[in-house]
């Protein structure tokens, strides 16, 4: 799911930048419309929270797609095609996301969409896009049901063939965190809290299942209202439970204050969460109480990846006001998945977009394979990323520091 002005966060962006260079902007046109140079305009839509609590993450997503478009145009990567972006604000609300999806579908010049940030928003958009055969590639959604169906734990069935994601899922992220907490951090008594939203509740559930399987004890569970800022009731329960760790399924706007209030009440135990809390803003909200808190995030730290150096340098040179954040590299790679698919379809059709371009681009995304910012980019039969690397970060000295990276191996 999500982040904001994180540079460490962005670290999870990871490897293998495509050697591109370009310059684009964002506006929409009509389907297959001629650009000023006599070519074809292809718009890539972006849906993310551009205002509100999660806007730092959303703006990082938008900026990274903008950079990918500029790179493709500068390189003239698809002969005769000029890429542009059209960014829409979903405010992290499913209803807004659905309205945005309908708007993208009605714009005949849109041939692919990057986003959204939130899994709950994605649920409201998937059918709209699928009915129009318009491809959607999310850099941040982690709920397994989006690609493998509601019964993914027993029977995996792909609901929508137009939906893909470059981030790995909570089916891996939650258990990976549980193994680190139990086996490495030696924290065996967990109090589980979530925000009742699709992302948070799902992540907490997968952590809980693995934690119990390892021998950990869940000493309490609770839900919080994400619109509330006072968590005193749940803090009291945690303090009285004997927990040695709190696992929070949710996002940083709530996790930061929750951590701060836990420590202030005397519960001097770490708060652990997923990529939704891996943000510099979490540390700002929690203050010194964040020290020792942990988060998992997709991918490897960007500073360790030679493949991401070009992306980082180009982003800085682009003069973007906001950090690319935890999902910047994934957003760039999501956009490039669409760009690669457009190239394939145009090349196969004699240098022009065919009348059924949307359907053909969706089919082409299924088979893309390239070295991206985050590593090898390709998709499995469900539309999930084949790159399943994760990193555990810990707050040390007022910043997120990588503790370990690896891939999840199911416990016996």
């Amino acid at each position: 799911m999500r982040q904001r002005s994180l540079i460490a966060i962005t670290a999870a962006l990871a490897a293998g930048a495509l050697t591109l260079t370009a310059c684009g902007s964002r506006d929409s046109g009509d389907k297959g419309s001629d650009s000023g140079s006599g070519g074809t305009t292809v718009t890539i839509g972006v849906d993310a929270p551009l205002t509100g609590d999660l806007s730092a993450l959303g703006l990082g997503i938008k900026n990274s797609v903008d950079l990918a478009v500029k790179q493709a145009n500068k390189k003239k990567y698809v002969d005769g095609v000029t890429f542009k972006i059209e960014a829409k604000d979903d405010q992290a609300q499913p209803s807004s996301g659905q309205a945005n999806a309908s708007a993208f579908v009605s714009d005949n010049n849109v041939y692919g969409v990057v986003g959204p940030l939130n899994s709950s928003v994605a649920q409201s958009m998937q059918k709209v896009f699928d009915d129009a055969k318009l491809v959607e590639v999310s850099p941040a959604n982690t709920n397994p049901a989006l690609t493998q169906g509601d019964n993914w734990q027993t029977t995996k069935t792909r609901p929508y063939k137009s939906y893909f994601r470059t981030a790995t899922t909570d089916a891996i992220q939650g258990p990976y965190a549980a193994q680190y907490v139990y086996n490495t951090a030696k924290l065996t008594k967990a109090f589980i809290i979530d925000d009742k939203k699709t992302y948070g509740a799902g992540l907490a559930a997968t952590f809980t299942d693995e934690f119990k399987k390892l021998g950990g004890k869940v000493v309490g569970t609770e839900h919080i209202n994400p619109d509330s800022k006072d968590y005193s009731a749940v803090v009291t329960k945690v303090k009285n439970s004997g927990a040695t760790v709190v696992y929070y399924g949710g996002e940083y706007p709530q996790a930061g204050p929750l951590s701060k209030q836990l420590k202030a009440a005397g519960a001097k135990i770490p708060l652990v969460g997923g990529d939704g809390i891996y943000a510099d803003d979490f540390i700002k909200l929690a203050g010194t109480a964040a020290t020792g808190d942990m988060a998992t995030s997709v991918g490897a730290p960007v500073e360790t990846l030679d493949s991401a150096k070009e992306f980082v340098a180009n982003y800085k040179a682009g003069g973007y006001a906001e950090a690319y954040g935890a999902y910047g590299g994934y957003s760039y790679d999501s956009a490039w998945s669409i760009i690669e698919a457009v190239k394939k379809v145009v090349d196969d059709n004699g240098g022009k977009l065919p009348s059924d371009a949307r359907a053909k681009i969706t089919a082409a995304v299924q088979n893309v394979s390239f070295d991206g910012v985050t590593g090898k980019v390709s998709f499995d039969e469900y539309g999930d990323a084949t790159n399943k690397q994760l990193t555990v970060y810990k707050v040390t000295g007022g910043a997120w520091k990588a503790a370990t990276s690896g891939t999840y191996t199911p416990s016996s």
Side-chain angles (χ1 to χ4, degrees):
M1 177 257 119
R2 21 315 353 111
Q3 261 78 20
R4 55 282 11 158
S5 57
L6 338 158
I7 288 179
I9 244 189
T10 96
L13 304 182
L18 315 156
T19 318
L20 328 163
T21 336
C23 79
S25 59
R26 67 195 71 171
D27 58 315
S28 58
D30 6 282
K31 174 176 183 178
S33 64
D34 289 339
S35 69
S37 59
T40 299
T41 298
V42 168
T43 299
I44 295 178
V46 179
D47 179 88
L50 305 180
T51 59
D53 286 345
L54 297 174
S55 61
L57 282 187
L59 291 167
I61 290 173
K62 183 199 73 171
N63 294 343
S64 299
V65 175
D66 182 70
L67 179 61
V69 161
K70 289 179 177 178
Q71 297 283 64
N73 286 341
K74 183 174 179 179
K75 189 178 178 69
K76 300 187 188 307
Y77 194 71
V78 183
D79 190 39
V81 170
T82 298
F83 290 97
K84 295 186 177 183
I85 78 166
E86 174 69 30
K88 294 186 182 296
D89 182 11
D90 63 29
Q91 299 178 311
Q93 297 298 319
S95 58
S96 296
Q98 188 172 65
N100 291 346
S102 296
F104 284 131
V105 166
S106 66
D107 181 350
N108 291 328
N109 203 42
V110 174
Y111 288 94
V113 177
V114 175
L117 173 72
N118 306 83
S119 293
S120 56
V121 176
Q123 287 178 319
S124 75
M125 304 175 81
Q126 285 181 304
K127 187 177 188 303
V128 178
F129 286 134
D130 202 65
D131 286 348
K133 297 181 172 58
L134 180 59
V135 71
E136 170 189 16
V137 187
S138 173
N141 299 158
T142 54
N143 187 277
L146 295 171
T147 49
Q148 299 174 20
D150 291 337
N151 299 317
W152 61 271
Q153 289 173 305
T154 55
T155 306
K156 294 181 174 63
T157 303
R158 186 175 184 177
Y160 301 105
K161 291 188 176 180
S162 65
Y163 177 88
F164 299 83
R165 54 178 153 204
T166 52
T168 194
T169 76
D170 295 334
I172 298 170
Q173 184 176 193
Y176 185 76
Q179 290 184 356
Y180 184 85
V181 167
Y182 186 85
N183 293 329
T184 304
K186 306 298 182 184
L187 303 171
T188 60
K189 296 180 181 179
F191 197 104
I192 312 295
I193 304 170
D194 70 64
D195 61 2
K196 298 188 286 187
K197 295 197 290 187
T198 302
Y199 163 72
L203 185 60
T206 59
F207 173 91
T208 300
D209 289 345
E210 181 73 8
F211 190 71
K212 288 180 175 178
K213 189 184 300 182
L214 292 167
K217 183 178 181 181
V218 174
V219 296
T221 60
E222 192 57 80
H223 308 289
I224 65 166
N225 178 356
D227 294 326
S228 173
K229 300 300 180 185
D230 180 4
Y231 307 123
S232 56
V234 67
V235 163
T236 298
K237 291 180 180 180
V238 171
K239 185 178 178 181
N240 295 334
S241 69
T244 55
V245 62
V246 167
Y247 188 83
Y248 177 68
E251 298 154 332
Y252 69 91
Q254 295 76 37
L258 176 60
S259 177
K260 187 173 186 177
Q261 292 175 39
L262 280 167
K263 274 66 163 200
K268 308 293 186 180
I269 59 177
L271 181 145
V272 181
D275 54 328
I277 80 165
Y278 176 55
D280 287 346
D281 284 8
F282 168 82
I283 299 173
K284 291 177 184 177
L285 291 167
T288 56
T291 299
D293 289 347
M294 292 171 274
T296 51
S297 192
V298 291
V302 72
E303 65 268 15
T304 70
L305 301 167
D306 290 340
S307 58
K309 289 180 179 178
E310 183 177 357
F311 166 77
V312 173
N314 288 342
Y315 193 94
K316 182 177 181 181
Y320 297 105
E322 305 84 13
Y324 49 88
Y327 304 108
Y330 291 92
S331 303
Y332 187 96
D333 286 348
S334 294
W336 209 261
S337 297
I338 297 169
I339 292 166
E340 290 281 5
V342 171
K343 179 174 173 57
K344 167 70 172 169
V345 170
V346 168
D347 288 350
D348 287 352
N349 194 53
K352 299 179 180 179
L353 285 171
S355 59
D356 59 346
R358 280 182 171 177
K360 280 190 165 62
I361 289 168
T362 295
V365 169
Q366 181 66 62
N367 298 313
V368 298
S369 181
F370 60 91
D371 292 327
V373 174
T374 59
K376 189 72 173 180
V377 178
S378 60
F379 304 101
D380 65 17
E381 66 269 33
Y382 302 104
D384 282 327
T386 55
N387 182 352
K388 303 186 186 303
Q389 188 171 27
L390 289 156
T391 299
V392 174
Y393 295 89
K394 187 174 183 178
V395 179
T396 305
W400 290 106
K401 303 292 185 183
T404 187
S405 292
T407 56
Y408 167 63
T409 301
S411 56
S412 56

